[in-house]
Amino acid sequence: MVNKRFPLKGTFELTGRCNLQCNMCYVRVNEQAIKKSGKKERTASEWIQMAEQIADAGTLSLLLTGGEVTLRSDFCEIYEAIAKMGFITTVYTNATNITDKVMSVFEKYPPQVIGVTMYGASPDTYQKICGSAEGYYRFLTGLSRLKELPSILETRTTLVKGNVSDYQAMKTFVEREFGPKQVLHVSAHVYKAVRNGICSPEKERLDAVENCSFFYSWLNNLKDLIENKKVPINKLIDIQKLQTTEQELKRRTLGGDGGYLFQNCGAGIDEFFISWAGDMYACGMLPVGCTHPFETGFRDAWENLPAQYPKTKINNRCRNCSLMPFCESCPAYRMVETGEWDGIPSYACEKAAYLKELLEPLFEETRNFS
């Protein structure tokens, strides 16, 4: 698989700085952290030259993210130059800094997709999560401006302790703004800080049971209805689909030892991530294992990326674990959580145990229809 690599999709993390102070952010840095790291943000001309290199290498889609990308005074210069190169471009923003200048360049060269992060449904929640009640009103203003563009606008949120109670209000807001078919993209994946990040995100995340209870609440409701014999399972759910889900889970494997570390995903195979400091990783979640495209050139950095990671080695506990089909961990997640490529992240174990508890009774019920 590693011999069939092609850099189809890329991410430029233009900055790690942000105008909001979200405690659950795993990449946010400030000037002090940047100075302490001994690194520096890359200049506009460097990013533009790098974009030219990845275009020559065949990259088709490019995500610009941060931090908050629009915080850079030269963002418009970088964005306009990149837009002219013909990439399928996505921009991630918190929408609190959508100035006339930013809108002007977006109107001239609309991104294919704009992902806007919403942190809560009130000034109080923004104060609690982001340290800025004003951020809520700035978000509303920025969103109203971005709505005028022909871009696909995606509203995203990460649920943590401080805003989970706002979920329904955020969902209602998105439906009111964009129509009932618009989806609020929700994540509860909160990772420990990487690459000199100054926050402690793990303190903000929902505990494993809360996480699964929220995201799989529909399974809980099904389980209760079935166990209490209120409604037959075949009246509640697509039996064939649930049976297929069980089969797919049982086929899930950890991969063989000795292969490419990220053989089960696209990291370093058809996608890459370049950090604000100019280091290239297979995945943006990674704290270690990088090449240096600004020094060696992109093609050399891309070719040498797999060599930065050890060969796959799965510990026996995970290999033989009954929870493996329900586990969402990957090498990058294990490294972030434990500091080891084959570490055992307890948070993932707790989530897998709860998910198995929800799904196994449903799988058992479907066998009556086989």
Side-chain angles (χ1 to χ4, degrees), residues 95 116 118 120-121 126 136-149 151 153-156 168-184:
V116 177
M118 183 179 188
Y126 264 70
Y136 176 70
Y137 298 110
R138 292 175 65 91
F139 156 77
L140 293 179
T141 300
L143 186 66
S144 68
R145 302 192 75 178
L146 294 174
K147 280 173 58 180
E148 302 302 314
L149 298 170
S151 307
L153 196 59
E154 296 179 349
T155 312
R156 308 155 59 241
Q168 192 57 53
M170 286 191 285
K171 184 172 180 291
T172 299
F173 170 86
V174 170
E175 291 173 352
R176 185 176 67 246
E177 289 290 311
F178 301 100
K181 293 184 179 181
Q182 180 76 1
V183 175
L184 173 65

Side-chain angles (χ1 to χ4, degrees), residues 234-248:
N234 62 319
K235 301 293 185 183
L236 292 170
I237 199 167
D238 185 331
I239 298 297
Q240 185 176 359
K241 184 176 181 180
L242 193 60
Q243 290 172 337
T244 300
T245 298
E246 181 181 17
Q247 292 168 1
E248 289 175 349

Side-chain angles (χ1 to χ4, degrees), residues 188-191 205 208 211-212 216 249 252-255 261-265 267 283 285-286 312-315 317-353 355:
H189 295 299
V190 179
Y191 312 109
R205 66 184 171 196
N211 184 301
C212 287
Y216 300 103
L249 285 174
R252 182 183 288 182
T253 69
L254 295 170
L261 187 63
F262 305 108
Q263 59 188 293
N264 288 338
C265 72
C283 167
M285 194 195 310
L286 290 172
T312 299
K313 182 180 179 182
I314 307 299
N315 65 71
R317 178 177 163 186
C318 288
R319 178 81 68 192
N320 301 316
C321 182
S322 64
L323 299 177
M324 190 275 291
F326 306 94
C327 184
E328 298 175 347
S329 66
C330 68
Y333 181 74
R334 293 181 187 128
M335 171 55 75
V336 170
E337 291 290 304
T338 71
E340 302 289 340
W341 292 113
D342 61 348
I344 302 174
S346 58
Y347 188 80
C349 297
E350 292 169 16
K351 284 180 65 178
L355 188 55

Side-chain angles (χ1 to χ4, degrees), residues 7-26:
L8 191 64
K9 299 174 286 186
T11 297
F12 284 180
E13 181 188 55
L14 297 181
T15 181
R17 296 174 294 117
C18 189
N19 56 332
L20 299 180
Q21 311 297 310
C22 303
N23 294 322
M24 72 283 195
C25 184
Y26 70 104

